[in-house]
Amino acid sequence: MLVVALTGGIGAGKSTVAQCFAELGALVIDADQLARMVIERGTDGFAEVLLRFGDEVILNGDIDRKKLAEIVFSDASARADLEAIIHPRVQAIFAEAVAELDHDDILIYEIPLLAETNAAEKFDYVITVESDLELRKERLLKRGLYISQIEKRIAAQASPESREALADTVFYNNSDEDSLLRQVENLWESVLLPQSLG
């Protein structure tokens, strides 16, 4: 089996790459999705977020993710507090998933904060998706984020250089989607499949 970290800057194209891996037959887990799950209403993570951030982050009984994002992307200590609530819970779910893998499975773990959490050594293989800053900003504007939100989120992430330093493979996503998907398919056939069977 092979446990692969898939990282990259916001707006670089990680989700497109993850989807392509899923279509090729990989198991794909999204750390952001797990992060949402562990603070859903009724969880102890939800209770801790409420305790730390108060009622202002609650909307109709659920966590107002937009409001929470505004707070944590404007305040590094608030972000550290939120990560201390979320990360251990996410890591526990991920460890369970790895424990259940079959010997020939390939698990792709979409993890935006790989460099920031010093987690690269937990993986057999590391991929980062990188893209020119202006292109990333364009994509994020199309997703409905404001330029101020985009700049705060990019500033909160590790640099492209630090992600690339950890990576076994870098996918560059500065062209069309087809050329990105070709990079994914080539790696799958030439590296990941043979490694998982070896």
Side-chain angles (χ1 to χ4, degrees), residues 10-97:
I10 185 172
K14 284 184 304 300
S15 300
T16 305
V17 169
Q19 193 180 337
C20 183
F21 276 129
E23 285 163 11
L24 290 167
L27 299 165
V28 176
I29 297 177
D30 177 357
D32 281 348
Q33 213 171 340
L34 298 186
R36 286 191 286 274
M37 269 171 49
V38 299
I39 58 168
E40 277 177 357
R41 186 174 13 180
T43 62
D44 60 343
F46 177 92
E48 275 199 47
V49 169
L50 189 55
L51 198 63
R52 165 60 181 84
F53 294 96
D55 288 343
E56 68 170 316
V57 298
I58 303 297
L59 181 68
N60 303 325
D62 290 312
I63 288 172
D64 181 349
R65 294 179 195 289
K66 228 172 158 181
K67 180 69 185 167
L68 190 57
E70 265 173 42
I71 294 168
V72 301
F73 286 111
S74 303
D75 176 351
S77 74
R79 189 163 72 250
D81 289 346
L82 182 63
E83 287 170 355
I85 295 168
I86 289 175
H87 288 175
R89 291 172 169 84
V90 166
Q91 284 157 8
I93 296 171
F94 176 66
E96 278 171 33

Side-chain angles (χ1 to χ4, degrees), residues 5-11 14 29-33 35 72-73 76 78-88 90-91 109-123 126-130 136 152-159 162-164 166:
L6 171 62
T7 193
I10 185 172
K14 284 184 304 300
I29 297 177
D30 177 357
D32 281 348
Q33 213 171 340
V72 301
F73 286 111
R79 189 163 72 250
D81 289 346
L82 182 63
E83 287 170 355
I85 295 168
I86 289 175
H87 288 175
V90 166
Q91 284 157 8
Y109 190 45
E110 195 180 336
I111 174 170
L113 302 180
L114 180 76
E116 296 82 342
T117 54
N118 299 313
E121 70 283 351
K122 294 178 185 169
F123 296 89
V126 174
I127 300 164
T128 185
V129 187
E130 298 299 336
R136 289 167 61 198
K152 278 180 187 171
R153 290 181 191 203
I154 288 172
Q157 289 191 322
S159 68
S162 54
R163 285 190 297 268
E164 288 181 30
L166 297 171

Side-chain angles (χ1 to χ4, degrees), residues 125-151:
Y125 200 88
V126 174
I127 300 164
T128 185
V129 187
E130 298 299 336
S131 191
D132 290 345
L133 188 57
E134 291 312 310
L135 263 177
R136 289 167 61 198
K137 286 181 180 176
E138 266 174 50
R139 291 178 192 133
L140 294 166
L141 285 167
K142 282 180 190 157
R143 277 197 223 163
L145 289 174
Y146 298 114
I147 197 72
S148 60
Q149 294 172 312
I150 293 167
E151 284 171 352

